[in-house]
């Protein structure tokens, strides 16, 4: 029998104290800017404001892949947004993304005011359509690619905000939420493993924005780079995910894109800001 008193939710929730955990100091139940802080602007039309989290590297990988294809118009400046320091709540960033989440992009090549693009999936689609790459034009192939792009948007919160939070970041370990979200993380890996059993890439034979969106979360997890949870989740059992994850990890543009807006780890893997190709060499 447990001697722990069960939690009974109040009739009306109030934010009386920080909830604890790694990000307690920046979490709040309100949106909007917390300080006046303009964003820097570099020389290229595309300005990326981000951090090398799984969501952030989706876009830097996409930009590096576009450059590798020869799309000179995809040259960009990347500025570090330190979410631990609350940079995402500066007024300039909130103007681009009112949701205060990285990544955010401003395109200065359009007429009039710079065009803001926020949410990583939206940015990937925008860039794919702008440059005509990594998103098929044929209806069936395009729809399948978008199916998997939006699968990632709906699934990753269970992996990150669910499993990742309770397994790695919560102030205390609790059996119920860890078991709940571990089960869901493994179910999602199984979804991908079954899909990749018959396809080289997520949406078919061609590498696409679906792979760029899914790999930083599930590829990194399969390679043992996320939450130190590889053994706990038995990621080696998902052999088709393993094959796919290793192939994408070896792509030169992926290697380069993962360095962008990274300010931790091996020094050779860091490029807190990126303004020209040589910044990643």
């Amino acid at each position: 029998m447990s001697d722990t008193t069960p939690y009974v939710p109040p009739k009306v929730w109030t934010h009386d104290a920080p909830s604890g955990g790694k990000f307690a100091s920046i979490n709040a139940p309100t949106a909007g800017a917390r300080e006046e802080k303009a964003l820097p602007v570099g020389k290229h039309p595309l300005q990326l404001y981000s951090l090398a989290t799984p969501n952030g590297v989706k876009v830097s990988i996409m930009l590096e892949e576009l450059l590798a294809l020869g799309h000179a118009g995809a040259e960009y400046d990347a500025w570090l947004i330190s979410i631990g320091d609350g940079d995402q709540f500066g007024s300039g960033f909130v103007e681009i993304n009112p949701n205060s989440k990285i990544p955010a992009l401003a395109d200065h090549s359009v007429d009039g005011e710079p065009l803001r693009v926020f949410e990583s999936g939206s940015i990937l689609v925008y860039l794919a359509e702008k440059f005509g790459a990594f998103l098929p034009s044929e209806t069936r192939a395009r729809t399948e690619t978008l199916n998997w792009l939006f699968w990632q948007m709906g699934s990753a919160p269970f992996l990150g905000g669910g499993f990742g939070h309770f397994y790695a970041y919560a102030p205390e370990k609790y059996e119920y939420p860890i078991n709940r979200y571990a089960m869901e993380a493994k179910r999602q890996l199984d979804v991908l493993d079954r899909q990749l059993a018959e396809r080289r890439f997520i949406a078919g034979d061609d590498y696409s924005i679906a792979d760029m969106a899914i790999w930083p979360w599930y590829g990194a997890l399969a390679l043992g780079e996320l939450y130190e949870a590889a053994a706990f989740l038995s990621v080696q059992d998902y052999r088709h995910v393993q094959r796919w994850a290793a192939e994408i990890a070896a792509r030169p543009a992926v290697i380069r894109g993962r360095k962008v807006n990274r300010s931790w780890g091996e020094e050779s893997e860091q490029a807190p800001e990126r303004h020209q190709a040589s910044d990643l060499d």
Side-chain angles (χ1 to χ4, degrees):
M1 177 180 292
S2 173
D3 59 1
T4 302
T5 301
Y7 171 67
V8 178
K11 290 184 178 180
V12 179
W13 184 85
T14 57
H15 185 236
D16 297 325
S19 58
K22 184 174 181 179
F23 300 104
S25 64
I26 60 171
N27 289 336
T30 56
R34 299 180 187 175
E35 63 174 331
E36 290 295 320
K37 187 176 182 181
L39 289 175
V41 179
K43 63 181 180 180
H44 300 299
L46 295 177
Q47 299 292 304
L48 176 64
Y49 304 95
S50 192
L51 183 69
T53 65
N55 281 333
V57 300
K58 297 174 191 174
V59 177
S60 53
I61 286 172
M62 173 64 160
L63 289 166
E64 292 298 325
E65 292 281 10
L66 289 168
L67 291 170
L69 281 183
H71 292 284
E75 268 294 349
Y76 66 104
D77 293 282
W79 305 92
L80 181 67
I81 300 296
S82 178
I83 61 176
D85 295 330
D87 290 349
Q88 69 274 32
F89 301 113
S91 57
F93 190 88
V94 173
E95 287 178 7
I96 295 180
N97 185 356
N99 195 39
S100 292
K101 302 291 184 181
I102 61 95
L105 182 76
D107 188 349
H108 292 253
S109 70
V110 299
D111 293 335
E113 292 293 316
L115 176 65
R116 74 180 189 182
V117 195
F118 62 90
E119 293 297 325
S120 58
S122 179
I123 298 172
L124 291 177
V125 172
Y126 177 77
L127 292 172
E129 293 181 338
K130 181 181 179 71
F131 294 101
F134 302 115
L135 178 60
S137 58
E138 190 274 324
T139 300
R140 288 183 181 273
R142 176 185 172 85
T143 301
E144 183 69 1
T145 301
L146 293 177
N147 287 342
W148 286 101
L149 173 65
F150 288 103
W151 176 87
Q152 187 276 317
M153 299 298 144
S155 296
F158 290 96
L159 176 58
F163 175 75
H165 175 75
F166 287 105
Y167 183 78
Y169 300 136
E172 297 180 45
K173 306 295 185 187
Y174 295 103
E175 182 179 5
Y176 173 77
I178 290 175
N179 283 346
R180 167 67 180 87
Y181 289 112
M183 178 173 63
E184 176 61 14
K186 289 181 69 66
R187 189 195 69 82
Q188 292 174 3
L189 285 168
D190 193 42
V191 169
L192 293 175
D193 205 57
R194 292 168 185 266
Q195 178 73 2
L196 289 164
E198 300 177 356
R199 297 160 183 82
R200 180 180 177 187
F201 296 110
I202 291 294
D205 293 333
D206 297 322
Y207 179 62
S208 72
I209 56 174
D211 299 283
M212 296 178 206
I214 294 170
W215 185 87
W217 284 102
Y218 299 90
L221 181 66
L223 296 175
E225 300 177 7
L226 200 62
Y227 307 130
E228 298 183 349
F232 183 74
L233 295 175
S234 302
V235 297
Q236 73 281 352
D237 294 346
Y238 305 96
R239 59 188 184 91
H240 303 295
V241 175
Q242 290 286 335
R243 181 267 306 162
W244 165 82
E247 179 177 354
I248 292 180
R251 293 178 68 90
V254 172
I255 293 170
R256 294 173 66 81
R258 297 184 76 190
K259 296 180 183 180
V260 177
N261 296 139
R262 187 178 180 89
S263 58
W264 63 90
E266 296 291 331
E267 187 173 352
S268 62
E269 301 301 314
Q270 297 182 33
E273 293 184 7
R274 188 268 190 211
H275 305 290
Q276 55 195 6
S278 60
D279 290 339
L280 305 179
D281 295 334

PDB file of all heavy atoms in Angstrom, residues 181-213:
ATOM      1  N   TYR A 181       4.930   7.024 -21.448  1.00  0.00           N
ATOM      2  CA  TYR A 181       5.542   7.626 -22.632  1.00  0.00           C
ATOM      3  C   TYR A 181       6.628   6.744 -23.243  1.00  0.00           C
ATOM      4  O   TYR A 181       6.904   6.856 -24.441  1.00  0.00           O
ATOM      5  CB  TYR A 181       6.063   9.017 -22.292  1.00  0.00           C
ATOM      6  CG  TYR A 181       4.941  10.001 -22.070  1.00  0.00           C
ATOM      7  CD1 TYR A 181       4.692  10.536 -20.813  1.00  0.00           C
ATOM      8  CD2 TYR A 181       4.114  10.361 -23.122  1.00  0.00           C
ATOM      9  CE1 TYR A 181       3.647  11.425 -20.610  1.00  0.00           C
ATOM     10  CE2 TYR A 181       3.071  11.248 -22.932  1.00  0.00           C
ATOM     11  CZ  TYR A 181       2.832  11.785 -21.685  1.00  0.00           C
ATOM     12  OH  TYR A 181       1.785  12.651 -21.484  1.00  0.00           O
ATOM     13  N   ALA A 182       7.236   5.867 -22.469  1.00  0.00           N
ATOM     14  CA  ALA A 182       8.155   4.894 -23.057  1.00  0.00           C
ATOM     15  C   ALA A 182       7.392   3.965 -23.997  1.00  0.00           C
ATOM     16  O   ALA A 182       7.865   3.639 -25.094  1.00  0.00           O
ATOM     17  CB  ALA A 182       8.856   4.092 -21.966  1.00  0.00           C
ATOM     18  N   MET A 183       6.212   3.545 -23.580  1.00  0.00           N
ATOM     19  CA  MET A 183       5.384   2.702 -24.436  1.00  0.00           C
ATOM     20  C   MET A 183       5.053   3.427 -25.737  1.00  0.00           C
ATOM     21  O   MET A 183       5.141   2.848 -26.831  1.00  0.00           O
ATOM     22  CB  MET A 183       4.101   2.310 -23.708  1.00  0.00           C
ATOM     23  CG  MET A 183       3.145   1.470 -24.548  1.00  0.00           C
ATOM     24  SD  MET A 183       1.733   0.840 -23.595  1.00  0.00           S
ATOM     25  CE  MET A 183       0.942   2.387 -23.120  1.00  0.00           C
ATOM     26  N   GLU A 184       4.701   4.696 -25.651  1.00  0.00           N
ATOM     27  CA  GLU A 184       4.361   5.449 -26.864  1.00  0.00           C
ATOM     28  C   GLU A 184       5.586   5.689 -27.736  1.00  0.00           C
ATOM     29  O   GLU A 184       5.499   5.603 -28.968  1.00  0.00           O
ATOM     30  CB  GLU A 184       3.707   6.776 -26.478  1.00  0.00           C
ATOM     31  CG  GLU A 184       3.398   7.694 -27.651  1.00  0.00           C
ATOM     32  CD  GLU A 184       2.428   7.109 -28.679  1.00  0.00           C
ATOM     33  OE1 GLU A 184       1.767   6.082 -28.386  1.00  0.00           O
ATOM     34  OE2 GLU A 184       2.333   7.684 -29.782  1.00  0.00           O
ATOM     35  N   ALA A 185       6.738   5.975 -27.140  1.00  0.00           N
ATOM     36  CA  ALA A 185       7.958   6.168 -27.924  1.00  0.00           C
ATOM     37  C   ALA A 185       8.310   4.894 -28.692  1.00  0.00           C
ATOM     38  O   ALA A 185       8.692   4.951 -29.871  1.00  0.00           O
ATOM     39  CB  ALA A 185       9.115   6.576 -27.011  1.00  0.00           C
ATOM     40  N   LYS A 186       8.166   3.760 -28.047  1.00  0.00           N
ATOM     41  CA  LYS A 186       8.465   2.492 -28.717  1.00  0.00           C
ATOM     42  C   LYS A 186       7.427   2.189 -29.804  1.00  0.00           C
ATOM     43  O   LYS A 186       7.767   1.651 -30.865  1.00  0.00           O
ATOM     44  CB  LYS A 186       8.545   1.356 -27.697  1.00  0.00           C
ATOM     45  CG  LYS A 186       9.802   1.440 -26.819  1.00  0.00           C
ATOM     46  CD  LYS A 186       9.876   0.294 -25.821  1.00  0.00           C
ATOM     47  CE  LYS A 186      10.131  -1.040 -26.490  1.00  0.00           C
ATOM     48  NZ  LYS A 186      11.461  -1.121 -27.133  1.00  0.00           N
ATOM     49  N   ARG A 187       6.188   2.540 -29.570  1.00  0.00           N
ATOM     50  CA  ARG A 187       5.175   2.353 -30.603  1.00  0.00           C
ATOM     51  C   ARG A 187       5.514   3.185 -31.839  1.00  0.00           C
ATOM     52  O   ARG A 187       5.406   2.719 -32.978  1.00  0.00           O
ATOM     53  CB  ARG A 187       3.795   2.732 -30.066  1.00  0.00           C
ATOM     54  CG  ARG A 187       2.634   2.361 -31.002  1.00  0.00           C
ATOM     55  CD  ARG A 187       1.350   3.070 -30.599  1.00  0.00           C
ATOM     56  NE  ARG A 187       1.433   4.496 -30.852  1.00  0.00           N
ATOM     57  CZ  ARG A 187       1.224   5.056 -32.053  1.00  0.00           C
ATOM     58  NH1 ARG A 187       0.944   4.307 -33.099  1.00  0.00           N
ATOM     59  NH2 ARG A 187       1.295   6.369 -32.189  1.00  0.00           N
ATOM     60  N   GLN A 188       5.945   4.417 -31.617  1.00  0.00           N
ATOM     61  CA  GLN A 188       6.311   5.285 -32.738  1.00  0.00           C
ATOM     62  C   GLN A 188       7.526   4.747 -33.486  1.00  0.00           C
ATOM     63  O   GLN A 188       7.577   4.786 -34.721  1.00  0.00           O
ATOM     64  CB  GLN A 188       6.570   6.701 -32.228  1.00  0.00           C
ATOM     65  CG  GLN A 188       5.328   7.405 -31.714  1.00  0.00           C
ATOM     66  CD  GLN A 188       5.632   8.745 -31.091  1.00  0.00           C
ATOM     67  OE1 GLN A 188       6.775   9.198 -31.079  1.00  0.00           O
ATOM     68  NE2 GLN A 188       4.613   9.396 -30.552  1.00  0.00           N
ATOM     69  N   LEU A 189       8.509   4.240 -32.766  1.00  0.00           N
ATOM     70  CA  LEU A 189       9.660   3.624 -33.425  1.00  0.00           C
ATOM     71  C   LEU A 189       9.224   2.427 -34.264  1.00  0.00           C
ATOM     72  O   LEU A 189       9.757   2.186 -35.352  1.00  0.00           O
ATOM     73  CB  LEU A 189      10.698   3.197 -32.383  1.00  0.00           C
ATOM     74  CG  LEU A 189      11.529   4.311 -31.761  1.00  0.00           C
ATOM     75  CD1 LEU A 189      12.302   3.796 -30.558  1.00  0.00           C
ATOM     76  CD2 LEU A 189      12.490   4.923 -32.783  1.00  0.00           C
ATOM     77  N   ASP A 190       8.245   1.691 -33.774  1.00  0.00           N
ATOM     78  CA  ASP A 190       7.741   0.550 -34.524  1.00  0.00           C
ATOM     79  C   ASP A 190       7.009   1.003 -35.785  1.00  0.00           C
ATOM     80  O   ASP A 190       7.118   0.364 -36.846  1.00  0.00           O
ATOM     81  CB  ASP A 190       6.823  -0.291 -33.639  1.00  0.00           C
ATOM     82  CG  ASP A 190       6.503  -1.646 -34.245  1.00  0.00           C
ATOM     83  OD1 ASP A 190       7.427  -2.289 -34.791  1.00  0.00           O
ATOM     84  OD2 ASP A 190       5.339  -2.065 -34.177  1.00  0.00           O
ATOM     85  N   VAL A 191       6.262   2.093 -35.691  1.00  0.00           N
ATOM     86  CA  VAL A 191       5.617   2.670 -36.881  1.00  0.00           C
ATOM     87  C   VAL A 191       6.668   2.968 -37.949  1.00  0.00           C
ATOM     88  O   VAL A 191       6.521   2.608 -39.129  1.00  0.00           O
ATOM     89  CB  VAL A 191       4.843   3.954 -36.522  1.00  0.00           C
ATOM     90  CG1 VAL A 191       4.396   4.693 -37.784  1.00  0.00           C
ATOM     91  CG2 VAL A 191       3.632   3.639 -35.651  1.00  0.00           C
ATOM     92  N   LEU A 192       7.741   3.636 -37.551  1.00  0.00           N
ATOM     93  CA  LEU A 192       8.806   3.981 -38.496  1.00  0.00           C
ATOM     94  C   LEU A 192       9.515   2.739 -39.016  1.00  0.00           C
ATOM     95  O   LEU A 192       9.850   2.660 -40.210  1.00  0.00           O
ATOM     96  CB  LEU A 192       9.816   4.913 -37.826  1.00  0.00           C
ATOM     97  CG  LEU A 192       9.309   6.308 -37.476  1.00  0.00           C
ATOM     98  CD1 LEU A 192      10.393   7.067 -36.716  1.00  0.00           C
ATOM     99  CD2 LEU A 192       8.906   7.072 -38.729  1.00  0.00           C
ATOM    100  N   ASP A 193       9.750   1.769 -38.148  1.00  0.00           N
ATOM    101  CA  ASP A 193      10.474   0.577 -38.573  1.00  0.00           C
ATOM    102  C   ASP A 193       9.686  -0.193 -39.631  1.00  0.00           C
ATOM    103  O   ASP A 193      10.262  -0.698 -40.613  1.00  0.00           O
ATOM    104  CB  ASP A 193      10.735  -0.318 -37.354  1.00  0.00           C
ATOM    105  CG  ASP A 193      11.941  -1.222 -37.544  1.00  0.00           C
ATOM    106  OD1 ASP A 193      13.038  -0.686 -37.803  1.00  0.00           O
ATOM    107  OD2 ASP A 193      11.777  -2.450 -37.440  1.00  0.00           O
ATOM    108  N   ARG A 194       8.388  -0.263 -39.455  1.00  0.00           N
ATOM    109  CA  ARG A 194       7.557  -0.941 -40.441  1.00  0.00           C
ATOM    110  C   ARG A 194       7.535  -0.176 -41.755  1.00  0.00           C
ATOM    111  O   ARG A 194       7.555  -0.784 -42.845  1.00  0.00           O
ATOM    112  CB  ARG A 194       6.133  -1.120 -39.891  1.00  0.00           C
ATOM    113  CG  ARG A 194       6.046  -2.091 -38.723  1.00  0.00           C
ATOM    114  CD  ARG A 194       4.682  -2.024 -38.033  1.00  0.00           C
ATOM    115  NE  ARG A 194       4.643  -2.868 -36.860  1.00  0.00           N
ATOM    116  CZ  ARG A 194       4.197  -4.133 -36.830  1.00  0.00           C
ATOM    117  NH1 ARG A 194       3.779  -4.696 -37.958  1.00  0.00           N
ATOM    118  NH2 ARG A 194       4.188  -4.819 -35.711  1.00  0.00           N
ATOM    119  N   GLN A 195       7.494   1.139 -41.676  1.00  0.00           N
ATOM    120  CA  GLN A 195       7.506   1.958 -42.890  1.00  0.00           C
ATOM    121  C   GLN A 195       8.823   1.806 -43.639  1.00  0.00           C
ATOM    122  O   GLN A 195       8.858   1.656 -44.861  1.00  0.00           O
ATOM    123  CB  GLN A 195       7.268   3.428 -42.520  1.00  0.00           C
ATOM    124  CG  GLN A 195       7.308   4.406 -43.682  1.00  0.00           C
ATOM    125  CD  GLN A 195       6.098   4.336 -44.596  1.00  0.00           C
ATOM    126  OE1 GLN A 195       5.167   3.555 -44.343  1.00  0.00           O
ATOM    127  NE2 GLN A 195       6.105   5.114 -45.655  1.00  0.00           N
ATOM    128  N   LEU A 196       9.920   1.819 -42.920  1.00  0.00           N
ATOM    129  CA  LEU A 196      11.245   1.761 -43.535  1.00  0.00           C
ATOM    130  C   LEU A 196      11.648   0.354 -43.947  1.00  0.00           C
ATOM    131  O   LEU A 196      12.642   0.181 -44.656  1.00  0.00           O
ATOM    132  CB  LEU A 196      12.276   2.350 -42.568  1.00  0.00           C
ATOM    133  CG  LEU A 196      12.176   3.865 -42.400  1.00  0.00           C
ATOM    134  CD1 LEU A 196      12.939   4.319 -41.159  1.00  0.00           C
ATOM    135  CD2 LEU A 196      12.686   4.592 -43.642  1.00  0.00           C
ATOM    136  N   ALA A 197      10.901  -0.645 -43.559  1.00  0.00           N
ATOM    137  CA  ALA A 197      11.196  -2.008 -43.986  1.00  0.00           C
ATOM    138  C   ALA A 197      11.034  -2.155 -45.493  1.00  0.00           C
ATOM    139  O   ALA A 197      11.666  -3.021 -46.118  1.00  0.00           O
ATOM    140  CB  ALA A 197      10.282  -2.994 -43.268  1.00  0.00           C
ATOM    141  N   GLU A 198      10.210  -1.305 -46.103  1.00  0.00           N
ATOM    142  CA  GLU A 198       9.915  -1.430 -47.527  1.00  0.00           C
ATOM    143  C   GLU A 198      10.337  -0.201 -48.327  1.00  0.00           C
ATOM    144  O   GLU A 198      10.069  -0.135 -49.534  1.00  0.00           O
ATOM    145  CB  GLU A 198       8.413  -1.669 -47.715  1.00  0.00           C
ATOM    146  CG  GLU A 198       7.906  -2.938 -47.034  1.00  0.00           C
ATOM    147  CD  GLU A 198       6.407  -3.121 -47.176  1.00  0.00           C
ATOM    148  OE1 GLU A 198       5.760  -2.212 -47.746  1.00  0.00           O
ATOM    149  OE2 GLU A 198       5.903  -4.157 -46.732  1.00  0.00           O
ATOM    150  N   ARG A 199      10.984   0.757 -47.686  1.00  0.00           N
ATOM    151  CA  ARG A 199      11.352   1.996 -48.363  1.00  0.00           C
ATOM    152  C   ARG A 199      12.731   2.435 -47.902  1.00  0.00           C
ATOM    153  O   ARG A 199      13.072   2.284 -46.725  1.00  0.00           O
ATOM    154  CB  ARG A 199      10.333   3.101 -48.059  1.00  0.00           C
ATOM    155  CG  ARG A 199       8.932   2.811 -48.566  1.00  0.00           C
ATOM    156  CD  ARG A 199       7.896   3.649 -47.846  1.00  0.00           C
ATOM    157  NE  ARG A 199       6.548   3.321 -48.285  1.00  0.00           N
ATOM    158  CZ  ARG A 199       5.841   2.295 -47.822  1.00  0.00           C
ATOM    159  NH1 ARG A 199       6.368   1.492 -46.889  1.00  0.00           N
ATOM    160  NH2 ARG A 199       4.626   2.057 -48.269  1.00  0.00           N
ATOM    161  N   ARG A 200      13.487   3.039 -48.817  1.00  0.00           N
ATOM    162  CA  ARG A 200      14.800   3.545 -48.433  1.00  0.00           C
ATOM    163  C   ARG A 200      14.662   4.735 -47.500  1.00  0.00           C
ATOM    164  O   ARG A 200      15.373   4.853 -46.499  1.00  0.00           O
ATOM    165  CB  ARG A 200      15.597   3.945 -49.683  1.00  0.00           C
ATOM    166  CG  ARG A 200      16.980   4.486 -49.356  1.00  0.00           C
ATOM    167  CD  ARG A 200      17.721   4.874 -50.620  1.00  0.00           C
ATOM    168  NE  ARG A 200      19.020   5.464 -50.306  1.00  0.00           N
ATOM    169  CZ  ARG A 200      19.820   6.022 -51.203  1.00  0.00           C
ATOM    170  NH1 ARG A 200      19.460   6.064 -52.486  1.00  0.00           N
ATOM    171  NH2 ARG A 200      20.981   6.539 -50.833  1.00  0.00           N
ATOM    172  N   PHE A 201      13.740   5.644 -47.854  1.00  0.00           N
ATOM    173  CA  PHE A 201      13.498   6.823 -47.037  1.00  0.00           C
ATOM    174  C   PHE A 201      12.053   6.804 -46.530  1.00  0.00           C
ATOM    175  O   PHE A 201      11.258   5.940 -46.915  1.00  0.00           O
ATOM    176  CB  PHE A 201      13.795   8.100 -47.836  1.00  0.00           C
ATOM    177  CG  PHE A 201      15.243   8.227 -48.228  1.00  0.00           C
ATOM    178  CD1 PHE A 201      15.629   8.084 -49.563  1.00  0.00           C
ATOM    179  CD2 PHE A 201      16.225   8.466 -47.277  1.00  0.00           C
ATOM    180  CE1 PHE A 201      16.967   8.190 -49.927  1.00  0.00           C
ATOM    181  CE2 PHE A 201      17.555   8.580 -47.630  1.00  0.00           C
ATOM    182  CZ  PHE A 201      17.925   8.434 -48.960  1.00  0.00           C
ATOM    183  N   ILE A 202      11.717   7.736 -45.697  1.00  0.00           N
ATOM    184  CA  ILE A 202      10.432   7.708 -45.013  1.00  0.00           C
ATOM    185  C   ILE A 202       9.253   7.680 -45.976  1.00  0.00           C
ATOM    186  O   ILE A 202       8.318   6.896 -45.817  1.00  0.00           O
ATOM    187  CB  ILE A 202      10.304   8.916 -44.062  1.00  0.00           C
ATOM    188  CG1 ILE A 202      11.277   8.788 -42.882  1.00  0.00           C
ATOM    189  CG2 ILE A 202       8.871   9.072 -43.558  1.00  0.00           C
ATOM    190  CD1 ILE A 202      10.981   7.648 -41.942  1.00  0.00           C
ATOM    191  N   ALA A 203       9.273   8.544 -46.998  1.00  0.00           N
ATOM    192  CA  ALA A 203       8.123   8.660 -47.895  1.00  0.00           C
ATOM    193  C   ALA A 203       8.305   7.908 -49.203  1.00  0.00           C
ATOM    194  O   ALA A 203       7.456   8.015 -50.087  1.00  0.00           O
ATOM    195  CB  ALA A 203       7.817  10.135 -48.165  1.00  0.00           C
ATOM    196  N   GLY A 204       9.396   7.192 -49.361  1.00  0.00           N
ATOM    197  CA  GLY A 204       9.608   6.464 -50.607  1.00  0.00           C
ATOM    198  C   GLY A 204      11.077   6.326 -50.937  1.00  0.00           C
ATOM    199  O   GLY A 204      11.927   6.231 -50.055  1.00  0.00           O
ATOM    200  N   ASP A 205      11.377   6.358 -52.233  1.00  0.00           N
ATOM    201  CA  ASP A 205      12.757   6.169 -52.692  1.00  0.00           C
ATOM    202  C   ASP A 205      13.602   7.432 -52.594  1.00  0.00           C
ATOM    203  O   ASP A 205      14.829   7.360 -52.678  1.00  0.00           O
ATOM    204  CB  ASP A 205      12.755   5.690 -54.149  1.00  0.00           C
ATOM    205  CG  ASP A 205      12.162   4.299 -54.291  1.00  0.00           C
ATOM    206  OD1 ASP A 205      12.240   3.523 -53.315  1.00  0.00           O
ATOM    207  OD2 ASP A 205      11.607   4.004 -55.374  1.00  0.00           O
ATOM    208  N   ASP A 206      12.947   8.579 -52.437  1.00  0.00           N
ATOM    209  CA  ASP A 206      13.670   9.848 -52.462  1.00  0.00           C
ATOM    210  C   ASP A 206      13.724  10.497 -51.082  1.00  0.00           C
ATOM    211  O   ASP A 206      12.741  10.495 -50.332  1.00  0.00           O
ATOM    212  CB  ASP A 206      13.008  10.815 -53.463  1.00  0.00           C
ATOM    213  CG  ASP A 206      13.066  10.299 -54.882  1.00  0.00           C
ATOM    214  OD1 ASP A 206      14.096   9.698 -55.252  1.00  0.00           O
ATOM    215  OD2 ASP A 206      12.086  10.497 -55.633  1.00  0.00           O
ATOM    216  N   TYR A 207      14.855  11.056 -50.777  1.00  0.00           N
ATOM    217  CA  TYR A 207      15.084  11.838 -49.556  1.00  0.00           C
ATOM    218  C   TYR A 207      14.237  13.105 -49.619  1.00  0.00           C
ATOM    219  O   TYR A 207      14.170  13.768 -50.653  1.00  0.00           O
ATOM    220  CB  TYR A 207      16.567  12.165 -49.499  1.00  0.00           C
ATOM    221  CG  TYR A 207      17.073  12.984 -48.344  1.00  0.00           C
ATOM    222  CD1 TYR A 207      16.973  12.537 -47.039  1.00  0.00           C
ATOM    223  CD2 TYR A 207      17.735  14.197 -48.581  1.00  0.00           C
ATOM    224  CE1 TYR A 207      17.502  13.275 -45.990  1.00  0.00           C
ATOM    225  CE2 TYR A 207      18.266  14.931 -47.541  1.00  0.00           C
ATOM    226  CZ  TYR A 207      18.140  14.480 -46.246  1.00  0.00           C
ATOM    227  OH  TYR A 207      18.667  15.199 -45.212  1.00  0.00           O
ATOM    228  N   SER A 208      13.583  13.450 -48.517  1.00  0.00           N
ATOM    229  CA  SER A 208      12.636  14.562 -48.548  1.00  0.00           C
ATOM    230  C   SER A 208      12.616  15.308 -47.219  1.00  0.00           C
ATOM    231  O   SER A 208      13.291  14.935 -46.254  1.00  0.00           O
ATOM    232  CB  SER A 208      11.234  14.046 -48.858  1.00  0.00           C
ATOM    233  OG  SER A 208      10.705  13.349 -47.731  1.00  0.00           O
ATOM    234  N   ILE A 209      11.773  16.334 -47.182  1.00  0.00           N
ATOM    235  CA  ILE A 209      11.612  17.081 -45.931  1.00  0.00           C
ATOM    236  C   ILE A 209      11.021  16.207 -44.831  1.00  0.00           C
ATOM    237  O   ILE A 209      11.179  16.521 -43.650  1.00  0.00           O
ATOM    238  CB  ILE A 209      10.767  18.359 -46.117  1.00  0.00           C
ATOM    239  CG1 ILE A 209       9.393  18.046 -46.708  1.00  0.00           C
ATOM    240  CG2 ILE A 209      11.521  19.378 -46.974  1.00  0.00           C
ATOM    241  CD1 ILE A 209       8.466  19.265 -46.761  1.00  0.00           C
ATOM    242  N   ALA A 210      10.363  15.111 -45.188  1.00  0.00           N
ATOM    243  CA  ALA A 210       9.875  14.195 -44.146  1.00  0.00           C
ATOM    244  C   ALA A 210      11.041  13.585 -43.386  1.00  0.00           C
ATOM    245  O   ALA A 210      11.017  13.488 -42.151  1.00  0.00           O
ATOM    246  CB  ALA A 210       9.013  13.097 -44.780  1.00  0.00           C
ATOM    247  N   ASP A 211      12.091  13.185 -44.117  1.00  0.00           N
ATOM    248  CA  ASP A 211      13.280  12.644 -43.452  1.00  0.00           C
ATOM    249  C   ASP A 211      13.961  13.712 -42.606  1.00  0.00           C
ATOM    250  O   ASP A 211      14.425  13.435 -41.491  1.00  0.00           O
ATOM    251  CB  ASP A 211      14.262  12.116 -44.501  1.00  0.00           C
ATOM    252  CG  ASP A 211      13.670  11.004 -45.335  1.00  0.00           C
ATOM    253  OD1 ASP A 211      13.592   9.870 -44.837  1.00  0.00           O
ATOM    254  OD2 ASP A 211      13.267  11.280 -46.480  1.00  0.00           O
ATOM    255  N   MET A 212      14.036  14.928 -43.133  1.00  0.00           N
ATOM    256  CA  MET A 212      14.700  16.018 -42.397  1.00  0.00           C
ATOM    257  C   MET A 212      13.966  16.351 -41.110  1.00  0.00           C
ATOM    258  O   MET A 212      14.586  16.765 -40.122  1.00  0.00           O
ATOM    259  CB  MET A 212      14.800  17.256 -43.281  1.00  0.00           C
ATOM    260  CG  MET A 212      15.662  17.077 -44.502  1.00  0.00           C
ATOM    261  SD  MET A 212      15.676  18.582 -45.505  1.00  0.00           S
ATOM    262  CE  MET A 212      16.026  17.896 -47.118  1.00  0.00           C
ATOM    263  N   ALA A 213      12.656  16.191 -41.113  1.00  0.00           N
ATOM    264  CA  ALA A 213      11.866  16.475 -39.914  1.00  0.00           C
ATOM    265  C   ALA A 213      11.961  15.348 -38.890  1.00  0.00           C
ATOM    266  O   ALA A 213      12.065  15.594 -37.687  1.00  0.00           O
ATOM    267  CB  ALA A 213      10.404  16.712 -40.294  1.00  0.00           C
TER     268      ALA A 213
END
